[in-house]
Structure formats: C-alpha cells, structure tokens
C-alpha cells in the first residue's frame, strides 16, 4: 500500500532522513522505532507532505505522492496524527471531529457514532473545548479526528507520549481493533514494548537510516539486538 | 599581516571622502548632496549598531534626529543658549531617550518586532507633536535656522567637513569597539541573546550602551543637519525621509560591516539624485528598491566586494597560500595560515 | 449628537479596514502594511469609473473588486516568499515586503493621479431623525458597513469554507491535516480583506473625501485599532474600531487633528506596554 524508496528529507538543506526505504502492505501494522533524533518525525512529516522531500519517492496505493500538496494527502486516504496532535483548542471535541471529516462531509453522523463507540470518553466530553482535555484525551481526540476522514492508512507519530502505562495499553487495544477492521497502521514510537505487541514488522531508524528491518519477534526475542539498536528499551 | 591590511578600507574611504570636495567643491548644490550623503551615512552607522548588531529595531532614527535638531534650534532661539552648548544638550537628550527606550525594551523582554512597532508609534507621536505645537515649532511651515547654529549652513565646505569629522569619529569608534573584547561579546549577543546571557555577557548593559551611543550620534547629526540645511520642518525628519532611506542604505551597503553604511549611503544618494526629477516617483523607487533588496540582495555590496577581493587575493597568490597551508599542517594546524 | 453618530459610523468604517488586517494576520501570519494603499486603490478605481460615466453602483462594485484583486495579487506574488517561512521570520519578511510595496503604490498613486479624488454627494445632504439632524452620508455609510458585516458573518458562520477559515486561525498545521487547503484559504482571506478595505474607501468617499495620498493614514489607523483590539481577536478589533472611531470623531471636533492623532497613538503605545494582547481582546 505504501512504498517508500530512498527517501531523503530534512530542514534548511540539512538531511535528517537519509535514504530510507520501507514498505507497508494493506492490513498490516508496522512500527518505526529508534532513539530521539533518528528521524522518525521527519520521515512522517515527509510522508504526510508537510515537508518536501529532498530525494526519493513515495507511492501510496500505486500513485506517486510527488507534488501532492499536504491537504490532498487526506483526500488520498492517508491520515496523519502528529506528535503535537495539532488540535483546535478553542473548538469543542465535537467540532474538532467534524472538521476531521472536512474532506468527506457525507455520513458524518455515522462516523461520529463509530468514533464515539471506539472512544467512549470522548463521547462524554463532546461539548468540552479541546484545549481543556487531559493529555490522554487529547491523544484520543487526535486519533479520532484522523479517523473521521475514513483513512485507509493511519500514520501515528509517538501516540503513547505523555500517557500513563494503563492508557497506553488501552490505546493500543483500540489500535488493534482498528487494524482488524481494515485500517492499515504505520506508527513511530519511542516506547518499544507496546509497539512490538501490536506491530508484526518493525523498522529501526538510527541516524536517519534504516538500521534494522524485520519481524518484531526477532527484535523481541534478542535482548542484544534490542540494546544494540534501541539502547535497552 | 592581517591587521594593517584590515585598516586599508577605512583609510581609503576616509581619504576619498576627505578629497571629495576637491572634485565637487565648485558646485554648492553637489556639495550639499555630498553633505546629505554623509548625514545619511552617519544615521546608518547608528542604525547598524542598533539593528545590525544588537537586534534593536529602532524605527525612530528620524524622531531622535528631530529631537536633536529641534531642541538645539529652540534652545538657541528661545533660551538664548550658545549654539555649541545647545548641540551638546540636544545630543545628550537624544542619547537619554534612546537609552531609555532600550532599557525599557530589554527589561520588559520585548521582541524585535514589538520594539519596532513601539518605536515607530513613538516616532509618529513625536512627529504629530512637532506639527501640533504650532506656537513653538511653526508646524509644517518649519523654522529657518540661519544664525541659530554653528554657522555650518553658511559655507558648504564647513558643513561637509563638520559631518565628515563626526562620521569619521563614529567609524573609528565602531572599529575600536569591534576589535576590542567587546566585539566578541556583541557578536555573541547578536547571534543568540540567551546563550550570551548564560555565558556571562551582560546583555542589558551592552544593548543599552549601544542604543545610547547610537542615539547620541543620531541626535548630534540631527542637530548638525538642522544647522547646515538652513531650515527644518517635521517632514524632513519623517520616517519616510530618514528611517526608510537608512534601512535601504544599510541593506544596500551591508549590515554589520564597517563601511556598509557609507557605501550604502553613497549608492542611495546617487539613486535618489537620478530619480529626483520624476517628483513623486522617488517614493515609488524607494518602495521598489526596498522590496528588491530584501528579496534578492539582502547581503549588501560590502560583503560581496569583500568576498570577491578575498577570492582575487587567493587567486593571485596560489603558491604562497599552498606553502602556508602545508606549513600549517606540519605545525599541527596551530596557526591560521596566510 | 450628530458628531457621536458620525463617530459611530467612522468606527464602522474603521472596523471594515481593521477586521481585514487582523483576519490576514490570524490566517496568514502576516501583517499587510500596504492595506491602506489597497483601500485607496479601490477608491481610485471607483473615481475613475464614475469619471468615465458609469453609474455609482457599478463604480462602487468595481472599486471593491479592484481592491480585492490587488490584495489577491499581493498574496500570490509578493507574499509567497514570506509564506515559505514560519512564525516571526515570516512576519518580519512580510512586513518589509509590504512596507516597500506600500511606498511603491503610494508613489504610483500620487504620481499618476495627483488630482483624482473620490467625493460623492448625496441628495438630500441631511435628514431629520428623531429630532436630530443627521447627514444622509452617515446613514448610507453606516448601512453599507453593517450590511457588509452581516454578509461576512453569514459567510463565516454558515459556509464550510467559513468554518475552515476559523480553524486555520487556531492551528494552521491541524487545518492542513484535516484536508483544508490553507494556501487557497489564505488567498481568499486576502481578497476579502482587500474587498472590505474597498468598501471602507468608497464609504469614505461618501463621508467626506478620499485622496490618492491617504494610504498611510488608513494603514496606521487600522494598525492602531488592531493593537488596541488585539491582533488575534476579531471581536476585540470590531469593538476597538467603534470605540476609537468615536474617540477620533469627538477629539477631532474638540481639539483638532494633531492632538487627536497623538491621543490615538498614545492609546496604542499604552496598550502595547500594559496589555500587549489587546485591551479589548476576546476570543469567542
């Protein structure tokens, strides 16, 4: 579904992502791991077209994303949940969700119900301003908002940031549910444990390049491998 | 080898400027243009220190100059003070105002843009004050300053060399400042104020000191201008007449350089003269120039010339450079070669 | 009294100018210092059309359209380098670019049309309303401004595009992620701000007179209002416009032009020093 080939991306002419190639097939859940500064966020921003890549190609469902402006990415069926969440703080939960459906205005009611079903806590707080929600609730809202556009691929950048372990487990349970419902997931994480439980394949980024790619079982199984690549997470 | 070489541009510029009247001296009009160019250059040196080196976007150069000009004229006319004393007092006043604005801004942690907006508003207030206090300033009609100053307006050479002296002192002061330990501190300050503060540099003191010095320069030149121009009115010190040309001149010449203000002022004066016969189009030219400079040529002439000169120097002495480099390598790279 | 009503109407016109500038700041992150000249352009086009014998309605609409298109042109050309940057860098670059443009336009207008002015006379010049003598012009301009605001409000609250604009102001990145074409919204906002400025200029023509050199005055006034009302608050800006419009009219009547300017500027400085987010700022 998603094919990234030799992608180079960075800021002010300095490349942070150097020649990354990866592949995500439909129905998969794939994780991109790596320490801070490895280039995970830069990679995702390049995929979501918030950043123009310096070199390389990105293909989504066979179509090249070259020259596609950022607001079209959602239309293509790929939704990105940034690490900063990027919510609209003065708008209510409901209004944020409705804006998530901006590109697909019909069937909003139905999708709202599905999303509230998945995140009942959001349903309780639907009239509350997004800026006043707790960290965990904001994270859920960010994901829910992305789901409102009925994406086929969901990009999540460090979804477990600032969440208590119990909430992280809850979040990943829901992500698994989504995957089983047919949403392909590509996520970046610093917290390895939860990511490995959900994703069958991982890529490990180090200094802007892919240091390891393979089944998560391989990474999980070998403590040495883990400490070498992830610094013993 | 480097230090004496470095003095060459300043000496050359000083010689050229000192000799200029020999070439233009026959035409009072051209001498006047030259004097005005030196005035602009002086303002630009001050603004260079303010905005180029300490990030203080003081859009009140014209206002400070008007303070210097009007105060010195009024002190002579109404308080019957000696012209020399009047000039000194107005320079001090301008320095005080500039220093005060700087102090408040630094203390309150105002950002660059904010300082720009506040100083611009202050400029406009002063402008309207000058226009409104009719009995004192004659409003838009202005005041004739003949006989109210040091007599600079009586003789074009006197005017020129008076401003030239001030400009030269300013440039020497700038040069001294940046070759002293203060220079390193200022460079660090302009890059990153927070880091500079953390490294023990008293950012407040430097910024306020620079602002005070720069404002004194502006006030002094503003007073001299009032004298040599023979006439002052609020509009000769207006933002469009002073601050904008200063900005253009500094962009043209090159910010944060020694001779940038001078070169920029010279180029600007030439352009200004070329466009003068077209009346209102001068304003159009200013606008187009500002946009073009900022988009395409923000560095300025002096850095460009410096770069070309450096390239020419290394091209002309390749053997020497190579020898110096290998020597440097042998010596373990402890000495900068060449 | 009549002066107070004039002040209110002046406030409404000021609102047309200021809301435009604040809008552009909220959406595009840039402060358009050529705003006043955009307004003047609209007025001049109206004057030219009227001179060419066109009926007032065509002239007015033409002027408004011209102003909007000029602002749009600025967005598509000059401001693009600014949009490529973010935050303070974008603002600073846009400030200088629009400043230069304002000078260029000013010079162009005063050079090419030194004697052109927009001045419209209504018949009858004044009417009696509840015992007070009111200028017909005041009523006309007041009505025009209110009508324009009504349309604007409807547009913002009612349409999908209006909703998109409101969310961009709160979070530009978030808007991109929801599929909103931020660049197109920015251009539309600039066009809108220009059109509003055009309406203000035409109104000024009814009210007294609009000349080719009034650009800087308009820009400075709208900036003062934006500062006092809060650059991030449309409601605050609207309220500040009315307040300062009244202050302007009353002071001008009692103490004259220069002192009025000083007072308004002093209010701006005081706001900047005491409550920089804006005295009347309010985020709905």
């Amino acid at each position: 579904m998603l094919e990234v080939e030799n992608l180079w991306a960075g800021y002010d002419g300095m490349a942070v992502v150097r020649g990354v190639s990866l592949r995500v097939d439909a129905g998969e859940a794939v994780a991109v791991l790596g320490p801070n500064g490895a280039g995970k966020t830069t990679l995702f921003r390049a995929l979501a077209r918030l950043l123009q890549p310096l070199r390389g190609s990105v293909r989504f469902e066979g179509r090249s994303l070259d020259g596609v402006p950022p607001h079209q990415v959602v239309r293509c069926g790929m939704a990105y949940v940034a690490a900063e969440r990027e919510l609209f703080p003065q708008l209510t939960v409901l209004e944020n969700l409705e804006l998530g459906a901006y590109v697909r205005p019909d069937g909003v009611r139905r999708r709202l119900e599905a999303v509230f079903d998945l995140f009942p806590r959001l349903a309780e707080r639907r009239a509350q301003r997004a800026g006043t929600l707790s960290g965990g609730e904001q994270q859920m809202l960010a994901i829910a908002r992305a789901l409102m556009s009925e994406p086929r691929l969901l990009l999540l950048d460090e979804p477990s940031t600032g969440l208590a372990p119990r909430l992280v487990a809850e979040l990943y349970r829901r992500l698994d549910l989504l995957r089983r419902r047919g949403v392909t997931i590509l996520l970046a994480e610093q917290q390895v444990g939860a990511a490995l439980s959900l994703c069958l394949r991982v890529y490990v980024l180090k200094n802007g390049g892919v240091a390891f790619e393979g089944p998560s079982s391989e990474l999980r199984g070998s403590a040495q491998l883990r400490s070498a690549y992830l610094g013993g997470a | 080898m480097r230090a004496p070489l470095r003095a060459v541009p300043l000496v050359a510029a000083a010689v050229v400027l000192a000799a200029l009247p020999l070439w233009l001296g026959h035409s009072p009009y051209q001498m006047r243009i030259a004097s005005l160019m030196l005035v602009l250059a002086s303002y630009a040196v001050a603004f260079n220190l303010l905005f180029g080196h300490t990030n203080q976007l003081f859009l009140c150069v014209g206002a400070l100059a008007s303070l210097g000009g009007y105060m010195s004229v009024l002190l002579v006319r109404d308080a019957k003070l000696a012209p020399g004393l009047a000039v000194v007092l107005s320079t001090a006043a301008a320095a005080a105002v500039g220093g005060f604005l700087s102090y408040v801004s630094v203390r309150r942690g105002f950002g660059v843009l904010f300082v720009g907006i506040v100083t611009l508003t202050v400029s406009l207030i002063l402008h309207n004050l000058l226009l409104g206090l009719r009995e004192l300033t004659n409003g838009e009609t202005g005041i004739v300053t003949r006989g109210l100053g040091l007599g600079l307006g009586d003789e074009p050479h006197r005017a020129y060399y008076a401003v030239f002296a001030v400009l030269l002192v300013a440039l020497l002061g700038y040069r001294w400042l940046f070759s002293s330990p203060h220079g390193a501190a200022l460079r660090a300050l302009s890059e990153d104020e927070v880091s500079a503060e953390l490294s023990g540099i008293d950012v407040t003191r430097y910024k306020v000191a620079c602002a005070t010095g720069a404002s004194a320069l502006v006030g002094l030149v503003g007073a001299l201008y009032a004298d040599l121009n023979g006439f002052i009115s609020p509009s000769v010190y207006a933002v469009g007449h002073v601050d904008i040309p200063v900005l253009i001149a500094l962009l043209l010449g090159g910010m944060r350089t020694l001779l940038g203000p001078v070169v920029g002022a010279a180029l600007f004066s030439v352009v200004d003269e070329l466009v003068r016969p077209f009346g209102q189009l001068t304003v159009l030219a200013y606008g187009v120039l500002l946009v073009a400079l900022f988009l395409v040529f923000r560095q300025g002439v002096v850095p460009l010339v410096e770069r070309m000169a450096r390239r020419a120097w290394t091209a002309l002495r390749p053997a020497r450079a190579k020898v110096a480099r290998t020597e440097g390598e042998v010596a373990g790279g402890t000495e900068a070669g060449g | 009294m009549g002066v107070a009503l004039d002040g209110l109407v002046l406030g409404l016109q000021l609102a047309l100018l200021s809301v435009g500038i604040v809008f552009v700041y909220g959406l595009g992150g840039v402060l358009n210092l050529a705003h006043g000249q955009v307004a003047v352009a609209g007025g001049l086009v109206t004057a030219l059309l009227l001179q060419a014998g066109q009926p007032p309605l065509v002239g007015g609409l033409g002027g408004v359209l011209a102003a909007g298109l000029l602002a749009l042109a600025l967005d598509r050309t000059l401001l693009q380098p600014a949009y490529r940057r973010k935050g303070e860098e974008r603002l600073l670059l846009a400030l200088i670019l629009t400043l230069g443009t304002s000078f260029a336009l000013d010079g162009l207008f005063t050079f090419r049309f030194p004697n052109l002015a927009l001045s419209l006379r209504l018949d009858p010049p004044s009417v009696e309303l509840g015992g007070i003598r009111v200028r017909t012009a005041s009523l006309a301009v007041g009505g025009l401004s209110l009508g324009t605001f009504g349309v604007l409000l409807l547009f913002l609250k009612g349409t999908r595009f209006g909703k998109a604009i409101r969310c961009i102001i709160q979070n530009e990145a978030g808007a991109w992620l929801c599929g909103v074409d931020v660049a197109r919204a920015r251009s539309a906002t600039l066009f809108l701000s220009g059109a509003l400025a055009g309406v203000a200029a035409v109104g000024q023509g009814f009210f007294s007179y609009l000349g080719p050199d009034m650009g800087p005055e308009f820009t400075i006034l709208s900036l003062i209002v934006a500062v006092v009302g809060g650059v991030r608050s449309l409601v605050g800006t609207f309220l500040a416009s009315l307040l300062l419009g009244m202050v302007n009219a009353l002071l001008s009547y009692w103490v004259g032009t220069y002192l009025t300017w000083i007072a308004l500027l002093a209010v701006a400085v005081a706001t900047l020093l005491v409550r920089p987010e804006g005295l009347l700022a309010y985020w709905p």
Side-chain angles (χ1 to χ4, degrees), chain B residues 108 110 113-114 117-118 121 124-125 128-129 131-132 240 244 247 278 280-281 283-284 287-288 290-291 294-295 298, chain C residues 78 81 91-93 95-97 99-101 103-104 107-108 110-111 220 258 261-262 265-266 269 272-273 276:
Chain B
R108 301 283 296 278
F110 288 164
L113 243 36
F114 206 73
I117 297 175
V118 172
T121 321
L124 292 170
I125 291 180
N128 277 283
L129 255 164
L131 284 170
I244 299 296
L247 189 59
F278 296 98
Q280 278 301 100
L281 272 184
V283 183
L284 175 86
V288 171
L290 191 58
V291 172
F294 217 76
L295 275 181
R298 211 181 305 186
Chain C
L78 210 66
L91 189 56
L92 191 61
L93 185 58
L95 229 54
I96 305 249
L97 291 177
L99 183 67
T101 313
F103 272 91
L108 187 66
T110 49
F111 180 75
I220 295 175
Y258 301 127
W261 270 111
I262 293 174
L265 289 163
V269 174
L272 285 170
L273 295 177

Side-chain angles (χ1 to χ4, degrees), chain A residues 68-85:
Chain A
V68 171
H71 65 282
Q72 296 275 29
V73 167
V74 167
R75 250 174 252 264
C76 296
M78 184 161 82
Y80 173 50
V81 180
E84 302 86 355
R85 291 138 195 190

